[in-house]
Amino acid sequence: MAHPNQLATAASDLLSAAFDDLGVRLHSPEEGGGGTLRVWSGSADAIELVVFDDSDLDWITDVVPLAPVGSGVWSVRTPLLRPGARYGIRVAGPQGTGNTFNPRTLLTDPYSRGLVSGGLGDWRSAVVDGSFDWGGVSKPAVPMDRTVIYEGHLKGLSKRHPDVPPALHGTYAGLAHPAMIDHFHTLGVTSIELLPVQAFASEPRLLQHGLSNYWGYNTLNFFTPHAPYATEASRREGPEAVLREFKGMVRLLHEAGLEVILDVVYNHTAEEGIGGPRTSLRGIDNRSYYRQTDDGVYIDVTGCGNALDTSTPAAARLVLDSLRYWAQEVQIDGFRFDLAVTLGRDEEHRFTPDHPLLQAILSDPALADVKRIAEPWDVGMGGWQTGNFGEGWHEWNDRYRDRVRNFWLSDVDYARRASTAPVGAGGFATRLAGSSNTFSESRGPLASVNFITAHDGFTLRDLVSYDVKHNLGNGEQNRDGADTNRSFNHGAEGPTSDERILATRRRAMRNLLGTLLLSAGVPMLTAGDEFGRTQRGNNNAYCHDSPLTWLDWEHAPWQEDLQAHVQRLIRLRQENPALRPIRFARLDEHTPSASVMQWYDAGGETMSIEAWNSPAHRTLQYLATSTPEREELNRILLVVHGDEKAADVTLPVVDDVAGYLELWSSAHERPSDDGVLFAPGEVMSLPPTSLRLFRVV
C-alpha cells in the first residue's frame, strides 16, 4: 500500500494549477475573442493545432504550433478557435519503451466538448460554446433513503414507445418526452441511471461480425455526449445542438423531479490494447495515461486491453475534470463508476480506498451534491472490493444479488432435487436488513445499492426462465457471458405453454421484486423488469442494437399485473420509513433514523440460532420499527416463506402491537386492495414461496 506521504503528494499533484483550463477556453469579445487551447503531455517534443474546414473534414485550413508553458502544458491562443471550429492535434515525441508518439497521427483533444466523425475511426474535436438557459430549474436532490434507481439504456428505453414521436425514438429528447416521464412517475422511481452516454465507439472485431457496442462501455471522449443518441435534426446542426439537446433532456427530467445518473467508464478507453486504435491519449502521452510495465507491456485490469493509470496526476485530473464538467455544466445528479477499483489503484497497481482520485471525488466542492456509486470490482489482482470503499460512496452489492437469487431460485431448484434446501434463511435475512456484514456501521445500510439484475446478465424474466445462457448470437460460440447465474427455469428451458410453470415463474419474479423493493439499502430496478421483458436467454447482450434489447411497450395482461406490483411496492417503500433506514440500529441504544429489527420463526417465536441456520427452517418474520428523526413512527412486518410447500404461520405477539394490516402479497397475480387485518397470535396460511407485508397497528 502506498505510504501516506506518497498519497498526500499525489493528491497535491492532482490538484495542481498546472492542469487548470486544459482543452479549449473561449474568450469574450471584450477579451479579444478567439480561444486558447491547452494540452498536457509530459514527454512531447512538439504539439500542433490542426484546423479543418467546417464542411470538409479532409481539408486542413490551418496548422498552428503550440508553445510549452511549463509543467508539461502546451498552449496556443488563436482566433481560429471559435464556436463550431473542427480541429485536432498532432504530437511529436521521443521514441522508446512505452512511448507511441507519431507526429503524422491526428488526435482528438481529450478535453473537447464535441466530436464529429470523418468516417470509421476518424474523428475531429469540435469547439462548443455550451451556452444554455436552465430556466431556474435546479437538481431534485432526492435523499438517498428515498432514492429508487431505474437503470436503462438511453436508446432502448424510448426506441419502440408508441406514444413517443418516431423522430424522437431512441434519443435524448425521446427520454424526456411526456410519455416516458409519465412511465417513470407511474412506477415511482426517482433517479434514471443511464448506461454510458459519453461518446463511444464499437470495437473493430464487433464491426467485422456485423455487430456493434450497444451498451457503450468503450469511451472515445470523457466530455462529449454520444452524438448518435441525438435527434437527426440536432446531429445535422452539429455538436452544439447535440449538447443542447442533452441539456434539454436533463432540464425536463429535473422539472419532473427526476434525477439523472450517468454510468461513466473512466477505467479504460476505446484505444484498447497496444495495436488498437490511436485516437487521443495513446498518441499524446501513452506512458502517462495507461498502466504498463517498465518495458511497455499494458497492465490490463479491465479486460478491455488497457487501463487508465490514475496513479499519474494527468490521468486522475482528466477524470476529475470530466466529473466536474458533467456535474456543473450539464447538471448531472450522480455517477455510477464502471470498474471503480481500477480508478483506485496506486502506482504499484494495488487498490487503496485512500487513493487521491477517490478522495478528490469525495471532497471536491464541485461534486458535493452528486451521488457516487462504485462498481466495486475489476478483473485485476485484488479486484473484488465490495464493502471497501470509504464513507461517501455507495456500492453495487453483488453479495446481495447472489444471496437473494440463491434464496428464491437456486436453493429452490436444489430442494426439488434433494428434498431439502442447502441453507436456511439467515444469510438472506442479513441482506434484507441492509448487509451489515459487508458495510461498516459508519456507512450504514444506504452504502448498499441493492440489485437483482442489471444491464449485464439475465433480465428478471430470463432469470426465472433459463438455467443456462443462450449467447450464440454474440458470435463467440456461447463462450462469453457469466456461466454462474443462480437462475432457475422452474421446469422448462425458455418459452413454455405449461401454465403451472408460468404461474410459478410469475410468483418468483414477484418474490424477487418484493425483496428488492422492501430491503434496507438503495434499490436499483433494471428497465423492463417491471413488466417482465426478455432477451431470450442472452445474458451478455452488449452487442445487440435491436428489438432484442429495446424495450417492448406492448404488454400482455400478466405484464401489466407485474408492473402494478412494482408500483405498489415502490409506493409502500416511500410510505413506510421502517423499510428504508439510514443507519444501522445498535443493541439497546436509540439510533435516529435506524430500524430496530426483530426476527421470529413460523411459530411466532424469536428466531433461535438453530432455526436461523437450518435448511429445514425457510420461513421467517421480520418486524422493523423505525426510530423517528424526520418522519412519524412506523412499524412493518414482512413474512418470508422460502419453501415450495405451503405453511401455517403464527403472527408474533409483541408489546404494543394491536394487529397487522396486510399491505401486499406476492401470492396475488395482481395487487389486492383488500387489506385484511390480522390479530397477534393469529395463524395465517402461506402459499408456497411467497412474501407478505403488513403494517403494524
Side-chain angles (χ1 to χ4, degrees):
M1 198 67 68
H3 189 276
N5 289 340
Q6 291 177 311
L7 293 174
T9 299
S12 176
D13 291 344
L14 163 62
L15 300 174
S16 169
F19 295 106
D20 291 349
D21 297 322
L22 294 179
V24 172
R25 183 170 70 88
L26 292 171
H27 301 287
S28 67
E30 292 77 18
E31 296 173 311
T36 296
L37 170 65
R38 284 165 52 89
V39 177
W40 183 90
S41 176
S43 302
D45 294 332
I47 301 180
E48 56 187 14
L49 167 67
V50 184
V51 181
F52 294 86
D53 180 75
D54 289 349
S55 56
D56 186 349
L57 295 181
D58 291 324
W59 181 10
I60 296 174
T61 60
D62 291 276
V63 177
V64 184
L66 278 69
V69 295
S71 301
V73 176
W74 297 70
S75 179
V76 64
R77 177 170 178 171
T78 171
L80 298 170
L81 292 171
R82 50 174 176 72
R86 273 68 166 150
Y87 71 100
I89 57 176
R90 294 194 291 227
V91 184
Q95 300 303 303
T97 303
N99 291 324
T100 55
F101 294 108
N102 186 332
R104 295 180 298 278
T105 301
L106 185 71
L107 307 168
T108 59
D109 172 10
Y111 280 77
S112 57
R113 270 53 167 175
L115 288 178
V116 290
S117 175
L120 185 62
D122 186 24
W123 303 94
R124 308 287 184 273
S125 294
V127 178
V128 171
D129 176 78
S131 298
F132 186 79
D133 181 8
W134 289 97
V137 177
S138 58
K139 296 182 180 182
V142 179
M144 210 66 199
D145 66 304
R146 288 188 172 274
T147 298
V148 179
I149 298 171
Y150 186 78
E151 187 210 33
H153 188 283
L154 187 286
K155 180 176 182 178
L157 283 166
S158 68
K159 176 65 177 174
R160 303 176 73 185
H161 200 298
D163 297 327
V164 174
L168 305 186
H169 278 167
T171 67
Y172 299 122
L175 184 69
H177 187 272
M180 294 302 304
I181 289 175
D182 180 67
H183 179 69
F184 302 144
H185 281 168
T186 300
L187 271 185
V189 296
T190 67
S191 310
I192 314 305
E193 181 177 310
L194 297 174
L195 269 65
V197 292
Q198 293 174 342
F200 63 86
S202 292
E203 297 88 336
R205 64 175 180 82
L206 287 177
L207 297 174
Q208 290 169 4
H209 286 89
L211 301 170
S212 64
N213 189 321
Y214 173 65
W215 286 351
Y217 292 88
N218 201 44
T219 314
L220 272 172
N221 179 277
F222 296 144
F223 292 82
T224 303
H226 191 57
Y229 290 161
T231 57
E232 183 179 352
S234 293
R235 295 198 306 271
R236 281 200 308 266
E237 190 176 339
E240 191 80 57
V242 170
L243 178 58
R244 187 166 58 247
E245 183 179 325
F246 192 105
K247 291 181 176 180
M249 172 194 73
V250 174
R251 183 178 65 187
L252 288 170
L253 291 172
H254 282 177
E255 285 179 345
L258 296 163
E259 294 184 317
V260 181
I261 298 173
L262 300 188
D263 191 335
V264 286
V265 187
Y266 295 119
N267 57 81
H268 76 284
T269 75
E271 291 186 306
E272 303 182 40
I274 290 290
R278 185 184 337 206
T279 57
S280 188
L281 302 180
R282 178 172 292 141
I284 293 172
D285 195 327
N286 181 61
R287 173 60 81 180
S288 294
Y289 280 113
Y290 293 120
R291 292 189 180 276
Q292 53 195 281
T293 63
D294 291 341
D295 56 1
V297 176
Y298 274 11
I299 298 172
D300 179 14
V301 297
T302 69
C304 300
N306 60 25
L308 199 70
D309 188 358
T310 54
S311 71
T312 70
R317 181 61 178 269
L318 176 64
V319 173
L320 186 64
D321 285 344
S322 172
L323 293 169
R324 289 168 168 172
Y325 172 73
W326 290 99
Q328 291 189 303
E329 298 298 320
V330 194
Q331 291 290 289
I332 293 302
D333 302 279
F335 303 94
R336 179 265 189 189
F337 294 84
D338 182 63
L339 301 184
V341 169
T342 299
L343 305 183
R345 290 185 180 272
D346 61 21
E347 61 185 4
E348 296 176 351
H349 316 297
R350 293 179 298 193
F351 173 78
T352 170
D354 297 325
H355 190 285
L357 175 57
L358 300 184
Q359 293 303 307
I361 292 170
L362 291 175
S363 62
D364 195 311
L367 304 176
D369 64 347
V370 303
K371 292 176 166 69
R372 309 167 191 88
I373 302 169
E375 183 184 37
W377 53 79
D378 67 12
V379 301
M381 291 293 293
W384 188 74
Q385 294 289 337
T386 306
N388 293 334
F389 281 70
E391 291 187 38
W393 286 93
H394 310 275
E395 301 177 37
W396 272 26
N397 189 351
D398 56 318
R399 288 181 169 184
Y400 175 93
R401 173 201 64 201
D402 293 349
R403 178 61 71 177
V404 173
R405 287 186 180 190
N406 281 349
F407 186 81
W408 291 117
L409 299 175
S410 56
D411 286 0
V412 175
D413 179 22
Y414 185 95
R416 282 192 183 184
R417 292 179 281 107
S419 300
T420 182
V423 296
F428 172 84
T430 301
R431 299 300 165 193
L432 186 70
S435 297
S436 60
N437 59 344
T438 300
F439 300 100
S440 66
E441 180 181 306
S442 62
R443 296 180 68 191
L446 297 180
S448 177
V449 174
N450 299 330
F451 65 106
I452 307 296
T453 67
H455 66 275
D456 187 1
F458 279 144
T459 66
L460 180 70
R461 180 174 169 185
D462 289 354
L463 195 65
V464 304
S465 305
Y466 294 90
D467 279 352
V468 296
K469 65 188 181 184
H470 296 264
N471 296 356
L472 284 174
N474 297 358
E476 299 183 44
Q477 292 76 50
N478 212 41
R479 292 191 300 263
D480 64 306
D483 292 311
T484 303
N485 296 286
R486 296 174 167 83
S487 60
F488 179 32
N489 68 18
H490 292 87
E493 186 72 358
T496 179
S497 59
D498 188 320
E499 180 52 39
R500 180 184 58 83
I501 292 175
L502 292 173
T504 306
R505 287 176 178 177
R506 292 194 297 270
R507 191 172 68 250
M509 285 190 278
R510 296 192 294 270
N511 287 331
L512 291 163
L513 288 167
T515 302
L516 173 67
L517 293 167
L518 301 178
S519 292
V522 180
M524 185 186 80
L525 179 69
T526 303
D529 279 354
E530 69 270 28
F531 46 74
R533 67 176 287 258
T534 179
Q535 290 178 168
R536 301 198 295 271
N538 192 317
N539 75 350
N540 190 35
Y542 76 103
C543 55
H544 294 279
D545 185 357
S546 71
L548 180 72
T549 51
W550 305 334
L551 268 60
D552 184 352
W553 294 93
E554 301 295 328
H555 301 148
W558 74 265
Q559 293 178 293
E560 295 173 356
D561 292 342
L562 185 63
Q563 182 168 309
H565 275 283
V566 175
Q567 295 167 11
R568 176 70 60 85
L569 286 163
I570 293 177
R571 178 171 62 79
L572 291 172
R573 179 181 185 84
Q574 301 294 23
E575 292 174 351
N576 293 276
L579 292 168
R580 42 183 175 80
I582 295 173
R583 301 179 182 92
F584 290 125
R586 294 182 179 181
L587 188 64
D588 299 325
E589 290 187 25
H590 177 82
T591 304
S593 294
S595 287
V596 177
M597 300 169 184
Q598 298 166 273
W599 302 90
Y600 301 93
D601 60 20
E605 302 296 326
T606 299
M607 285 280 285
S608 66
I609 297 299
E610 178 186 2
W612 197 256
N613 296 313
S614 171
H617 296 275
R618 298 267 299 177
T619 304
L620 59 84
Q621 303 186 70
Y622 163 54
L623 182 67
T625 304
S626 70
T627 49
E629 188 173 16
R630 297 184 296 272
E631 301 179 75
E632 296 296 320
L633 176 69
N634 174 244
R635 302 177 83 179
I636 60 92
L637 177 73
L638 182 64
V639 182
V640 179
H641 180 51
D643 193 291
E644 288 202 294
K645 300 182 183 69
D648 289 335
V649 170
T650 302
L651 295 172
V653 178
V654 183
D655 291 344
D656 301 325
V657 173
Y660 300 98
L661 179 66
E662 185 175 31
L663 302 177
W664 176 79
S665 171
S666 69
H668 301 147
E669 286 287 349
R670 190 171 181 88
S672 172
D673 294 321
D674 301 326
V676 180
L677 182 64
F678 292 83
E682 187 172 345
V683 177
M684 177 183 66
S685 179
L686 281 180
T689 51
S690 57
L691 284 168
R692 290 179 88 169
L693 177 69
F694 302 85
R695 181 180 292 123
V696 177
V697 297

